[in-house]
Amino acid sequence: MTIPLLNRTAETDAPVLDVLADRWSPRAYASDDAIDESQLASALEAARWAPSANNIQPWRFIVAHRGTEAHDRVHEALLGFNKVWAGDAAVLIVAVAETADAEGKPLPFAAYDLGQSVAHLSVQAHHDGLHVHQMGGFDRDGVRAAFGLDDRFEPLTVIALGPIGDPSALPEALQEREAAPRVRRPLADSLIAV
Ligand SMILES: Cc1cc2nc3c(=O)[nH]c(=O)nc-3n(C[C@H](O)[C@H](O)[C@H](O)COP(=O)(O)O)c2cc1C
């Protein structure tokens, strides 16, 4: 049975940029389509130009194309159902926070800054017709070992990036997740009353 996709555009209570309303995180990626390298360059460039505390830019990216050993290594580290779907993505990117500088001084905004750079990447990618799905479900120590990361570098997410695929190719349970309505709690619940 194929489960129909509902409209994926967010129903926002106030107007937002189209790209923000339209961005969503699919699990169906086109397993035959390569990534357009200029679009990948633009996504990474958007990440590069994100703001960061003291402009330290405490982010690093391991960019692994499907069909390479690096992609296999990242895929191998994914946990649970992430392993089922994410291997089809044209590119898997490990988003790595530089949590301390080369002298060992902690960089307290590393995770914040990395997240912001990935947000920029995801918006640029969506604008260019690609899709992004971030994952926290992976074996951090496995990735650390697979790529020889120093202790001061912390892999925080794996990002599936590439052309979207046919959701009917997913296992049924994942099709249901793919088609579930996109929801957010009310904005008021995110505001601290003053
Ligand atoms: C830090 C982070 C970790 C996530 N981990 C996973 C994951 O391991 N597996 C997964 O399928 N989705 C994961 N997601 C995707 C979220 O579930 C998704 O962004 C959220 O449900 C909102 O859906 P939307 O991006 O389509 O708006 C993660 C997202 C973020 C930002």
Side-chain angles (χ1 to χ4, degrees), residues 7-14 16 21-22 181-184:
N7 181 8
R8 310 316 289 157
T9 302
E11 288 181 18
T12 64
D13 292 340
V16 302
D22 290 342
R182 297 191 58 230
V183 291
R184 292 296 189 270

Side-chain angles (χ1 to χ4, degrees), residues 23-25 27 81-82 85 133-137 157 182 184:
R23 183 216 58 80
W24 69 290
S25 306
R27 294 189 178 87
F81 72 105
N82 288 336
W85 60 267
H133 196 133
Q134 302 173 55
M135 290 165 276
T157 55
R182 297 191 58 230
R184 292 296 189 270

